[in-house]
Amino acid sequence: MLIVCWSPVMVEVWNGPGDKKTVEGPSRMPAPIRLRELIRTIRTARTQAEEREMIQKECAAIRSSFREEDNTYRCRNVAKLLYMHMLGYPAHFGQLECLKLIASQKFTDKRIGYLGAMLLLDERQDVHLLMTNCIKNDLNHSTQYVQGLALCTLGCMGSSEMCRDLAGEVEKLLKTSNSYLRKKAALCAVHVIRKVPELMEMFLPATKNLLSEKNHGVLHTSVVLLTEMCERSPDMLAHFRKLVPQLVRILKNLIMSGYSPEHDVSGISDPFLQVRILRLLRILGKGDDDSSEAMNDILAQVATNTETSKNVGNAILYETVLTIMDIKSESGLRVLAINILGRFLLNNDKNIRYVALTSLLKTVQTDHNAVQRHRSTIVDCLKDLDVSIKRRAMELSFALVNGNNIRGMMKELLYFLDSCDPEFKADCASGVFLAAEKYAPSKRWHIDTIMRVLTTAGSYVRDDSVPNLIQLITNSVEMHAYTVQRLYKALLDDISQQPLVQVASWCIGEYGDLLVSGQCEEEEPIQDEVLDVLEGLLVSNLSTPVTRGYALTAIMKLSTRFTSVNRIKKVVSIYGSSIDVELQQRAVEYNALFKKYDHMSGDEWLRVTIDQLLSSVRILSCSYDPNSSVVSLNFHLTRRPLSVCQTFQLQLLSPSSNVVPTLNQGTVTQVIRVLNPQKQQLRMRIKLTYTHKGSAVQDLAEVNNFPPQSWQ
Amino acid sequence: MFALVANQKVVIDWPCFWVVLGGSFLPRGVYTVLLFKMQFMLLFSRQGKLRLQKWYVPLSDKEKKKITRELVQTVLARKPKMCSFLEWRDLKIVYKRYASLYFCCAIEDQDNELITLEIIHRYVELLDKYFGSVCELDIIFNFEKAYFILDEFLLGGEAQETSKKNVLKAIEQADLLQEVWWFQIWPLSLLVFSRISPAKPRHEYFNVPVY
């Protein structure tokens, strides 16, 4: 223990590093406990409640100490308060005390005071403006470390008002020859510009000879300041383009210079400065031929000479690649950059692989062919253990798919779909569908791919995939038989994946005749087997209501294609009393149809796609504004493919809008073209399903009064 | 009120409102161009206890607590083999674990993650040099010193000094200014310092490699 007595009033006692106690000579109150003591005590608390109790006790002591305007211990008390604040306890009553500490003459006080200000105050409190005067005084203090504290605080949390008031002081310090202060002033100026962009102009003169500094700290912060100015103002950018040669020179010196112990990191001289210069060069060279040309050589040099064994070298290479890709570099340089990224992909360090994939994703549009060369490495990254890397590899893989590599890529991507985490499956499935649609080499391959996705990741495909797939299948006329056969077989294996079941049901309903007619390559099922499967879907617990709807409709449709109509009628009538309202509705209507057209033979049956009429209107979303009691409805009127039947032909065109305006302010129109060669009477039924105030509402309407001229 | 329009200066009344609206938790109108900026740095233990928090963007206490809580949970849930970067909200998080402490920085989209790792490493080296084989206990009991060192190394989220030696020299000089050293005593006291360092368990050291 070392006791130093330097005045009759104060005695400093040191117990080792970081431990300090001030003992008053003639003291009235017992000295508040020391910071380290408090920390030790609080750490002994075994429960949260115990800790809270200790904190409350100490806070009370601190509060009374603050009330007594105790100058001696204010610093210690605020320090303790800051510790308790970090534990999560409120410390707002210490804000004013921080200001008093800042105003104090003692350096210790100022240090803690400014720290407290940065932790407890921010620009939202009015109190913070009281700091302005103190900071102004301290910016002109005789001790550079005090000036440094002021600059640091202003540069971290100065509000716009403070910045306006003190910008002049910062500008003055930017021109000082003291490099310790100059570097801080530069970063403080960056903050001022961010808060009050109009003040940027006033810092322009001071930037004149910033880059001729030898001190690396000043150089680094100057480059940051110049970067900020160039990014914010195109005029500044044009003005500073002339600095490109100087920047290139500085960078060259850094690379060519020998070992400098002060700035060396793993054999590289001041990587932080190198990276910042490269970044500024990027901004200056973007879109400008002359500047880009001036920096071509140095970029090539950095790209080829930087040591890649440690992270720091790769950090510089990464920045170099980003710069090369952004400026107008010659093609050789661009290829060099992509190759660097390709090498990154093979690096053992997963961080490097991650940044490589991110960068390649950014460049794949512009330099597609160069990135293609690394396709196999990218695809290998699909097997990486890290989730972020896998995701990027997946996105990049999809970006690289084209007509030439579709078969190989799809094999890899489908394998990935099989084995990846659930969080990827939806995106991957969508990507596969998109890629298949764009580049499928044959219709059969396309259908096979879709089947594969539905069987492996069927539960994860998006809702809109089902109608899209149905559309696709409908359009591939020659594949109908093949498709329905494969889908039927898939149903036999597994009925748990709803999208697959829905698509399969629809196909069986539509093309059931092809399924049983002997057009398939393998042994075809008989009608009763098919109906067994569809009925199985209706009763299964795995089927959702939507799926049941598909299944019932399919059974209904088969009544015109199969001969076992009685069985179908029986099934349909059973569901006339189903609990599910939707199913009940359909069953009742189908029954009605049966009764009405009973006299017709199968060939004369109306092949009306009932789906279109009953479910062609689907509400997507509904919101309710309680203030004005207004309900906004967002419709999705689907456009169904042309339906062929013997009596009617229907074509639904796109609706005029997806949103019905509120308060009768407008209407939505959809045109339905009807080809009615037999001049049968037109009737239309509309069903609306929506939610109002949280409960589902169904509305039915029938239009029977089409003017006779329209159908006669 | 306020408006979010690109490249225009706007005034924010209540930045916390933006947190509620979702999307970016940063009031984008305050800075019109935020390309390269460290937004905050957090140090926390494996149990999720905060040891240091440095914020370079203005946020309310409530927001800071929320962000800290969520981020700590996210980072602690990462497996050891995963890479040091993750996307969180619309920021990139760079983190690295040294012994029992996680060092976590939030940077903007355009920032270079690899150099941020170097920044973190440089800060750890500075702590190591200052405290002499630093461990978590040093940061707990001398948190204000950890802040002082950080504030000599970074200002407004950017590095202000790239030389290790200069940062440490500045800290030493500033420490000497702290009341009160009788100028004849201080060389002796340095000797005393070195004798009275508390012993630390071996495994707690940060194991900062010297290149």
Side-chain angles (χ1 to χ4, degrees):
Chain A
M1 198 166 85
L2 183 73
I3 304 176
V4 176
C5 179
W6 74 296
S7 90
V9 177
M10 276 217 268
V11 173
E12 294 278 327
V13 177
W14 281 84
N15 269 332
D19 195 36
K20 195 166 58 184
K21 179 168 87 167
T22 310
V23 178
E24 282 270 6
S27 86
R28 254 154 294 151
M29 297 281 303
I33 78 169
R34 294 169 299 166
L35 171 63
R36 321 285 169 219
E37 197 58 52
L38 177 71
I39 297 176
R40 241 188 299 268
T41 313
I42 291 179
R43 280 170 65 80
T44 61
R46 271 161 303 169
T47 63
Q48 186 74 12
E50 214 178 313
E51 182 186 278
R52 209 169 17 243
E53 209 183 298
M54 291 179 189
I55 301 267
Q56 272 172 0
K57 200 166 124 217
E58 186 57 37
C59 275
I62 292 177
R63 268 191 227 248
S64 51
S65 187
F66 284 163
R67 267 197 299 272
E68 284 166 24
E69 297 286 333
D70 191 334
N71 289 340
T72 326
Y73 297 115
R74 184 175 288 125
C75 175
R76 180 188 296 183
N77 285 328
V78 169
K80 286 189 287 188
L81 201 57
L82 293 179
Y83 177 73
M84 295 188 288
H85 177 254
M86 183 143 66
L87 292 178
Y89 296 92
H92 46 272
F93 57 91
Q95 286 169 359
L96 271 172
E97 303 299 317
C98 292
L99 295 180
K100 292 181 196 163
L101 282 176
I102 291 172
S104 156
Q105 289 311 307
K106 286 162 57 181
F107 182 71
T108 319
D109 282 356
K110 282 187 190 287
R111 233 182 172 187
I112 295 289
Y114 277 117
L115 178 62
M118 284 192 274
L119 289 175
L120 300 181
L121 288 170
D122 61 56
E123 56 188 56
R124 271 92 58 74
Q125 272 101 17
D126 296 325
V127 172
H128 88 280
L129 280 170
L130 297 173
M131 267 199 296
T132 315
N133 216 31
C134 284
I135 295 187
K136 187 171 190 160
N137 291 336
D138 283 340
L139 283 175
N140 294 306
H141 203 274
S142 50
T143 311
Q144 68 175 16
Y145 297 105
V146 174
Q147 290 173 292
L149 286 176
L151 281 168
C152 181
T153 308
L154 182 60
C156 283
M157 44 92 61
S159 64
S160 321
E161 297 92 334
M162 277 171 75
C163 288
R164 259 186 241 273
D165 287 340
L166 300 170
E169 304 295 329
V170 176
E171 198 260 343
K172 223 165 51 186
L173 287 170
L174 193 52
K175 298 193 279 217
T176 176
S177 55
N178 179 337
S179 49
Y180 177 78
L181 292 174
R182 209 171 182 203
K183 68 187 189 202
K184 290 181 192 274
L187 289 182
C188 202
V190 170
H191 180 82
V192 168
I193 292 173
R194 281 185 176 151
K195 287 301 223 183
V196 192
E198 304 91 74
L199 292 176
M200 196 181 347
E201 295 286 326
M202 79 182 277
F203 293 106
L204 189 55
T207 62
K208 227 157 94 144
N209 53 358
L210 275 178
L211 289 185
S212 22
E213 263 275 0
K214 289 278 175 279
N215 179 296
H216 280 225
V218 178
L219 266 180
H220 184 270
T221 58
S222 304
V223 173
V224 173
L225 175 59
L226 292 169
T227 309
E228 186 70 25
M229 292 168 102
C230 290
E231 266 300 324
R232 285 189 179 265
S233 154
D235 293 333
M236 290 287 184
L237 178 59
H239 171 80
F240 285 125
R241 277 224 173 88
K242 61 176 191 270
L243 292 177
V244 169
Q246 202 173 2
L247 288 166
V248 168
R249 232 179 3 257
I250 298 173
L251 190 53
K252 196 166 189 142
N253 283 336
L254 283 174
I255 301 168
M256 306 300 278
S257 68
Y259 174 74
S260 150
E262 197 174 330
H263 298 109
D264 181 86
V265 180
S266 302
I268 296 180
S269 187
D270 207 338
F272 304 106
L273 182 57
Q274 287 195 34
V275 164
R276 285 313 271 195
I277 292 179
L278 285 164
R279 204 176 282 176
L280 181 55
L281 286 175
R282 176 151 91 242
I283 293 166
L284 293 174
K286 193 167 182 166
D288 188 83
D289 289 318
D290 293 329
S291 304
S292 300
E293 203 187 306
M295 54 181 86
N296 251 308
D297 283 344
I298 192 65
L299 289 174
Q301 208 176 352
V302 175
T304 39
N305 289 343
T306 306
E307 178 69 46
T308 60
S309 54
K310 290 245 160 63
N311 178 66
V312 60
N314 289 321
I316 295 175
L317 277 179
Y318 179 40
E319 197 72 38
T320 312
V321 165
L322 292 177
T323 300
I324 291 175
M325 301 315 291
D326 243 10
I327 66 171
K328 294 185 159 230
S329 44
E330 45 183 55
S331 62
L333 202 54
R334 290 181 89 84
V335 170
L336 179 61
I338 304 256
N339 287 342
I340 291 176
L341 292 179
R343 275 206 310 278
F344 274 7
L345 281 179
L346 299 167
N347 198 306
N348 284 330
D349 187 345
K350 48 189 139 17
N351 294 334
I352 311 281
R353 293 205 295 277
Y354 176 94
V355 304
L357 287 169
T358 313
S359 313
L360 285 170
L361 203 53
K362 285 189 207 145
T363 63
V364 73
Q365 303 303 331
T366 45
D367 294 82
H368 191 89
N369 293 330
V371 181
Q372 279 283 0
R373 281 190 220 118
H374 302 280
R375 195 178 64 241
S376 50
T377 325
I378 292 168
V379 167
D380 279 340
C381 289
L382 286 172
K383 307 191 181 81
D384 203 294
L385 294 164
D386 186 296
V387 165
S388 311
I389 291 181
K390 270 209 274 241
R391 176 165 289 281
R392 271 165 175 60
M394 181 181 81
E395 287 170 16
L396 200 46
S397 301
F398 280 121
L400 288 176
V401 171
N402 62 26
N404 295 327
N405 58 32
I406 177 78
R407 285 187 193 266
M409 286 296 277
M410 200 50 81
K411 221 163 78 177
E412 295 285 346
L413 288 165
L414 287 172
Y415 179 75
F416 175 68
L417 184 63
D418 271 341
S419 51
C420 67
D421 296 328
E423 62 185 285
F424 288 116
K425 290 211 197 244
D427 290 332
C428 190
S430 302
V432 168
F433 285 148
L434 222 79
E437 203 172 306
K438 272 202 268 191
Y439 302 112
S442 73
K443 286 233 155 69
R444 178 163 174 159
W445 181 95
H446 196 172
I447 305 278
D448 281 341
T449 306
I450 291 171
M451 291 287 308
R452 178 83 185 271
V453 174
L454 289 179
T455 47
T456 53
S459 358
Y460 298 97
V461 301
R462 300 222 165 83
D463 288 338
D464 59 354
S465 326
V466 173
N468 289 341
L469 289 175
I470 289 176
Q471 174 115 20
L472 181 69
I473 292 169
T474 312
N475 292 340
S476 329
V477 177
E478 68 277 17
M479 298 302 301
H480 287 168
Y482 174 73
T483 310
V484 71
Q485 180 226 343
R486 285 216 56 195
L487 284 169
Y488 178 73
K489 275 202 71 187
L491 269 193
L492 292 178
D493 288 330
D494 173 21
I495 60 168
S496 64
Q497 314 225 49
Q498 300 306 294
L500 172 66
V501 173
Q502 288 166 16
V503 174
S505 311
W506 188 91
C507 279
I508 293 173
E510 191 70 15
Y511 310 122
D513 48 338
L514 300 175
L515 184 59
V516 302
S517 68
Q519 291 198 24
C520 305
E521 292 158 3
E522 297 177 19
E523 184 186 302
E524 74 262 10
I526 59 170
Q527 294 183 8
D528 275 326
E529 285 172 350
V530 176
L531 289 173
D532 283 341
V533 169
L534 288 175
E535 280 186 55
L537 293 177
L538 280 173
V539 300
S540 165
N541 285 334
L542 297 167
S543 300
T544 63
V546 173
T547 307
R548 289 206 180 92
Y550 271 93
L552 188 62
T553 307
I555 291 177
M556 176 60 181
K557 281 151 85 171
L558 287 176
S559 66
T560 63
R561 293 148 174 85
F562 282 5
T563 54
S564 26
V565 181
N566 286 326
R567 176 174 173 180
I568 292 174
K569 280 190 193 171
K570 215 164 78 178
V571 171
V572 170
S573 64
I574 289 173
Y575 279 87
S577 41
S578 160
I579 300 174
D580 184 335
V581 176
E582 175 83 24
L583 277 184
Q584 192 191 98
Q585 173 97 31
R586 287 183 194 228
V588 163
E589 283 158 2
Y590 297 165
N591 255 333
L593 272 173
F594 273 129
K595 289 197 181 71
K596 187 148 192 182
Y597 298 103
D598 220 356
H599 61 283
M600 287 185 172
S601 70
D603 286 342
E604 292 167 351
W605 249 95
L606 287 167
R607 279 182 75 157
V608 177
T609 312
I610 301 165
D611 279 17
Q612 288 181 320
L613 288 176
L614 287 183
S615 56
S616 62
V617 175
R618 202 170 73 218
I619 306 279
L620 270 189
S621 73
C622 175
S623 63
Y624 176 60
D625 180 4
N627 292 332
S628 56
S629 298
V630 157
V631 175
S632 337
L633 298 174
N634 198 347
F635 275 70
H636 178 52
L637 296 166
T638 56
R639 183 188 182 320
R640 295 290 178 166
L642 201 62
S643 150
V644 176
C645 75
Q646 288 174 333
T647 312
F648 289 107
Q649 273 192 9
L650 292 167
Q651 188 184 21
L652 288 120
L653 301 180
S654 299
S656 59
S657 139
N658 266 347
V659 177
V660 177
T662 58
L663 300 171
N664 282 330
Q665 287 164 38
T667 54
V668 171
T669 326
Q670 184 179 27
V671 173
I672 306 174
R673 292 214 189 100
V674 183
L675 189 60
N676 182 6
Q678 294 186 16
K679 308 258 190 266
Q680 295 282 329
Q681 188 195 9
L682 272 182
R683 276 192 1 225
M684 185 165 87
R685 173 173 284 146
I686 298 176
K687 185 164 93 167
L688 284 175
T689 333
Y690 57 94
T691 52
H692 176 56
K693 290 190 180 173
S695 48
V697 181
Q698 269 187 3
D699 227 345
L700 276 176
E702 203 173 35
V703 183
N704 286 328
N705 54 351
F706 284 105
Q709 308 91 285
S710 64
W711 49 270
Q712 269 175 354
Chain B
M1 272 303 256
F2 51 84
L4 181 59
V5 179
N7 294 324
Q8 270 192 28
K9 187 171 97 80
V10 298
V11 172
I12 296 290
D13 274 344
W14 294 107
C16 62
F17 184 59
W18 288 93
V19 179
V20 172
L21 276 185
S24 162
F25 69 87
L26 237 222
R28 290 250 157 203
V30 176
Y31 306 122
T32 57
V33 176
L34 278 182
L35 287 185
F36 316 117
K37 185 177 166 71
M38 185 188 298
Q39 296 205 355
F40 55 83
M41 182 189 282
L42 302 174
L43 266 65
F44 51 89
S45 69
R46 269 183 301 185
Q47 285 75 41
K49 289 214 116 130
L50 200 60
R51 298 299 178 206
L52 186 144
Q53 50 174 334
K54 188 74 189 180
W55 299 84
Y56 294 110
V57 288
L59 290 167
S60 74
D61 244 3
K62 199 157 147 235
E63 286 152 23
K64 288 181 192 169
K65 282 206 177 121
K66 182 160 182 279
I67 292 167
T68 306
R69 197 174 44 237
E70 280 181 30
L71 194 54
V72 166
Q73 257 177 6
T74 311
V75 172
L76 289 177
R78 302 271 287 180
K79 303 193 192 65
K81 290 291 183 189
M82 297 175 105
C83 71
S84 295
F85 315 128
L86 62 107
E87 287 104 37
W88 184 79
R89 302 201 186 178
D90 56 355
L91 291 174
K92 293 204 274 211
I93 305 294
V94 179
Y95 73 94
K96 193 150 180 197
R97 195 180 124 205
Y98 289 87
S100 57
L101 265 187
Y102 283 89
F103 287 69
C104 192
C105 288
I107 58 176
E108 300 261 334
D109 198 48
Q110 303 289 323
D111 238 336
N112 181 331
E113 298 98 321
L114 299 180
I115 205 72
T116 309
L117 274 178
E118 291 299 317
I119 296 237
I120 292 177
H121 191 77
R122 172 57 62 91
Y123 181 46
V124 172
E125 283 179 325
L126 290 167
L127 291 169
D128 194 54
K129 227 18 198 291
Y130 182 83
F131 288 109
S133 289
V134 67
C135 66
E136 191 184 342
L137 278 176
D138 289 318
I139 313 248
I140 294 171
F141 279 93
N142 302 285
F143 70 94
E144 84 277 13
K145 299 240 167 48
Y147 275 108
F148 295 155
I149 296 172
L150 185 62
D151 287 338
E152 274 302 326
F153 174 43
L154 301 177
L155 200 157
E158 304 279 356
Q160 55 179 288
E161 179 58 69
T162 56
S163 152
K164 236 189 303 189
K165 191 179 86 181
N166 287 347
V167 177
L168 291 166
K169 199 164 76 182
I171 291 284
E172 275 171 47
Q173 299 284 337
D175 280 349
L176 291 178
L177 278 184
Q178 295 213 168
E179 287 75 14
V180 158
W181 288 112
W182 197 16
F183 70 93
Q184 286 162 330
I185 304 283
W186 70 259
L188 199 61
S189 60
L190 284 176
L191 212 61
V192 172
F193 268 9
S194 60
R195 296 242 179 94
I196 306 182
S197 306
K200 285 167 281 195
R202 279 257 125 205
H203 68 274
E204 291 282 316
Y205 294 149
F206 278 14
N207 277 332
V208 180
V210 177
Y211 287 127

